[in-house]
Amino acid sequence: MSEVINDFGIQKILDELGIEEINNGASTGGRWFNTRGEKIASYSPVDNTLIATVDAATEVDYEAVVLKAQEAFETWRTWPAPKRGEVVRQFGEKLREYKNALGTLVSYEMGKSLQEGFGEVQEMIDICDFAVGLSRQLYGLTMHSERPGHRMYEQYHPIGAVGIISAFNFPVAVWSWNTALAWVCGDVTIWKPSEKTPITAIACQQIIKQVFDANNVPEGVSNLVIGDATIGKLMAEDTRIPLVSATGSTRMGKSVGAAVGARLGKSLLELGGNNAIIITPTADLKMVVPGVVFGAVGTCGQRCTSTRRLIIHEEVYDKVKDALVKAYGQLQIGNPLDQNNHVGPLIDKAAVEAFTNALNDAKTEGGVIVTGGEVLTGGEYESGLYVKPAIVEVENHFKVVQHETFAPILYLIKYKGGVEKAIALQNGVPQGLSSAIMTNDLKESEKFLSHAGSDCGIANVNIGTSGAEIGGAFGGEKETGGGRESGSDAWKVYMRRQTNTINYSDSLPLAQGIKFEL
């Protein structure tokens, strides 16, 4: 890895995480491959410093990883689930030990605030805790048979190798959501991280190696393949990978879903969001402002659950707009490792271009920029990746509003009449991930949560669109893909379901009362 010189000592962080000498793009947990693909350079969006270069994996490397994963699955699936859970528990403990180092690296490589970097590692710890408890459940059901002397039940078995394609904005947390559950279910994992954040992936593999070595876990249970979209395509088309979990844009998800579906595999898709908060006349402004501002500018608007649209009743529209403009005026923009700052950089220049293009499109369609929208340059903004979060007055039907822009742009939309009008606007986009309503009216909140309410996978009352907890299943509908990860019964997607019937009688009655005489 290249030497890095900066104010907070990234070199020390790399050393602590045990990744100083690793620049290869494929691993089976126990060893690193001597990869020879194109070099992938990871630059920090914080200050445009080169963190390291990684030799990407080739198709040959990918093939070797899959074969090792298949071999490991034959052994790993025979381990009792609580024993697999114990390995995950120890991984969670290691993450507690490395929380500061890994969280700092997440912040520096991705560009999110230091507290959000720590929070991402905490999500990893939380999902490990959840998975440990799950390892002593993985329950099936018992059903009553219509035939005397028969017992009928269902059970779940490991599915095999789980392919995981993760995005840059949560470079480690979403991978862990899939991995911790897959491992306790008896699966092995093959991870293709975003090529924009490969170093955090390498760090995770090194932390895992310590735990696996101490527990004699077979090589090939945790696999890493770093590369471009070619690797993702190989994974999506590979019949040896029964489940592909992909997080990213709707465009990417459609491609993965089509390829996996063509071979009748299973896909778990977590794609675009176009999340709205409805503000009704009874909303408490003290709760509205922090919820909206964090949802809109946290991670510089680069969360799938970021607040994109604010649907405000005409009675309180001006009051809410003025309060938000005042709050935006207090935002501190700069190095995300400085905890006095609220907003860090966008991930790269393409993201900045998308930000400015969206604002121009909004103005072309008749939108009005209320505040923000500038690209900051010079001094600490020398990388050209820092922008002022924007608030724009628009109509919900504008073409630019119907699409997700992964940047800190908050669209203000006015509504008249009852909450049904607002819900129709909320639902009037192709995406369906997260939604929220701010109200002190019980009827409004219940309508929002009813069958005729929000069509999103996540619907909140008096909290924002961002900040899901591990215990609930995470995911959305429509162009968000329909997948569910993390809590609740999301574990079932990582297993194959089997119905069993046992005849303990002395005869062979047929179902539905059918008679078959010889």
Side-chain angles (χ1 to χ4, degrees):
M1 293 223 173
S2 61
E3 183 177 358
V4 178
I5 301 174
N6 54 48
D7 294 337
F8 71 93
I10 188 63
Q11 199 66 49
K12 181 180 178 181
I13 296 294
L14 298 179
D15 291 343
E16 182 178 344
L17 292 168
I19 57 178
E20 168 60 17
E21 300 302 325
I22 297 173
N23 59 2
N24 297 321
S27 170
T28 52
R31 65 189 174 102
W32 288 91
F33 287 61
N34 189 23
T35 49
R36 287 290 181 268
E38 295 291 326
K39 289 189 179 296
I40 296 176
S42 178
Y43 288 89
S44 170
V46 174
D47 53 16
N48 210 33
T49 295
L50 177 66
I51 303 174
T53 57
V54 179
D55 293 329
T58 64
E59 187 171 350
V60 172
D61 299 320
Y62 170 81
E63 181 66 22
V65 166
V66 173
L67 291 175
K68 180 56 70 173
Q70 286 185 299
E71 179 185 323
F73 175 62
E74 296 299 315
T75 302
W76 181 241
R77 67 180 176 179
T78 66
W79 284 36
K83 186 177 179 182
R84 297 192 297 256
E86 170 59 17
V87 172
V88 173
R89 185 195 67 80
Q90 292 180 34
F91 178 45
E93 290 302 308
K94 280 294 179 183
L95 288 171
R96 287 177 169 89
E97 180 181 335
Y98 288 104
K99 180 177 179 179
N100 284 350
L102 183 57
T104 302
L105 180 58
V106 167
S107 177
Y108 190 62
E109 187 174 32
M110 186 269 148
K112 62 177 56 178
S113 74
L114 188 59
Q115 283 302 315
E116 288 183 272
F118 294 155
E120 183 161 347
V121 180
Q122 186 61 50
E123 283 196 32
M124 301 174 75
I125 295 168
D126 292 344
I127 197 63
C128 286
D129 289 350
F130 178 89
V132 172
L134 181 65
S135 70
R136 293 186 178 272
Q137 297 183 60
L138 301 178
Y139 51 83
L141 297 173
T142 300
M143 291 77 73
H144 290 280
S145 174
E146 66 184 49
R147 291 168 285 186
H150 285 60
R151 181 166 67 90
M152 186 165 60
Y153 68 99
E154 66 181 21
Q155 59 179 328
Y156 289 83
H157 298 294
I159 199 171
V162 175
I164 303 169
I165 301 172
S166 62
F168 75 88
N169 59 329
F170 280 85
V172 292
V174 175
W175 162 76
S176 72
W177 293 0
N178 288 273
T179 296
L181 297 191
W183 285 348
V184 298
C185 288
D187 301 323
V188 299
T189 56
I190 303 173
W191 180 20
K192 182 215 168 297
S194 168
E195 56 267 40
K196 297 177 182 180
T197 52
I199 313 305
T200 48
I202 292 173
C204 289
Q205 196 77 342
Q206 286 297 89
I207 294 171
I208 290 164
K209 186 178 186 303
Q210 297 179 46
V211 176
F212 280 17
D213 286 351
N215 289 274
N216 296 314
V217 174
E219 178 188 340
V221 170
S222 178
N223 303 281
L224 177 68
V225 186
I226 297 173
D228 59 17
T230 303
I231 299 296
K233 186 173 186 294
L234 288 171
M235 192 178 289
E237 296 175 349
D238 196 335
T239 57
R240 297 167 297 180
I241 300 179
L243 171 65
V244 176
S245 175
T247 303
S249 68
T250 297
R251 178 189 56 79
M252 179 277 292
K254 287 180 177 179
S255 174
V256 170
V260 175
R263 59 177 175 85
L264 299 182
K266 294 202 300 183
S267 58
L268 194 169
L269 302 176
E270 298 289 357
L271 311 176
N274 197 345
N275 317 296
I277 300 178
I278 296 171
I279 311 296
T280 74
T282 66
D284 185 343
L285 202 60
K286 296 191 300 296
M287 298 175 67
V288 167
V289 173
V292 171
V293 174
F294 174 73
V297 308
T299 323
C300 202
Q302 297 171 116
R303 290 181 175 224
C304 52
T305 55
S306 290
T307 305
R308 309 287 179 202
R309 297 175 296 140
L310 208 58
I311 302 168
I312 313 168
H313 194 275
E314 62 178 351
E315 289 183 16
V316 293
Y317 183 88
D318 289 337
K319 188 175 182 180
V320 171
K321 181 177 75 170
D322 292 346
L324 289 173
V325 170
K326 181 179 179 181
Y328 269 52
Q330 299 172 20
L331 291 174
Q332 298 295 314
I333 304 169
N335 188 325
L337 285 97
D338 180 348
Q339 297 190 50
N340 293 315
N341 290 327
H342 303 104
V343 184
L346 288 166
I347 187 66
D348 54 25
K349 292 191 181 299
V352 175
E353 184 177 349
F355 173 77
T356 56
N357 286 345
L359 292 175
N360 289 334
D361 289 345
K363 288 189 292 184
T364 299
E365 291 191 76
V368 177
I369 297 178
V370 177
T371 188
E374 300 90 347
V375 178
L376 303 176
T377 58
E380 64 177 315
Y381 308 126
E382 186 177 3
S383 67
L385 302 181
Y386 292 85
V387 301
K388 280 191 175 182
I391 297 175
V392 189
E393 293 181 299
V394 296
E395 297 290 338
N396 198 61
H397 61 81
F398 285 2
K399 185 177 179 180
V400 69
V401 178
Q402 292 287 309
H403 295 280
E404 179 188 43
T405 301
F406 228 52
I409 301 174
L410 179 63
Y411 296 120
L412 303 189
I413 301 161
K414 186 184 296 185
Y415 81 95
K416 302 177 182 180
V419 72
E420 296 85 357
K421 301 287 187 182
I423 292 172
L425 291 169
Q426 136 69 37
N427 294 342
V429 293
Q431 308 83 3
L433 178 53
S434 187
S435 59
I437 187 171
M438 294 287 188
T439 180
N440 283 324
D441 186 313
L442 178 62
K443 289 182 179 180
E444 289 180 333
S445 64
E446 290 296 333
K447 286 179 180 179
F448 179 72
L449 299 175
S450 73
H451 297 316
S454 170
D455 64 2
C456 294
I458 299 170
N460 299 326
V461 176
N462 289 332
I463 61 173
T465 60
S466 197
E469 295 184 27
I470 286 299
F474 179 90
E477 302 300 323
K478 300 190 295 187
E479 285 192 358
T480 302
R484 293 296 185 276
E485 294 173 325
S486 190
S488 186
D489 65 349
W491 61 272
K492 292 180 179 179
V493 75
Y494 303 95
M495 306 195 83
R496 60 182 177 89
R497 191 176 195 166
Q498 185 180 78
T499 301
N500 308 110
T501 305
I502 299 171
N503 179 5
Y504 58 90
S505 73
D506 295 324
S507 61
L508 185 61
L510 301 178
Q512 292 89 46
I514 295 173
K515 301 294 184 182
F516 183 74
E517 304 289 346
L518 288 177

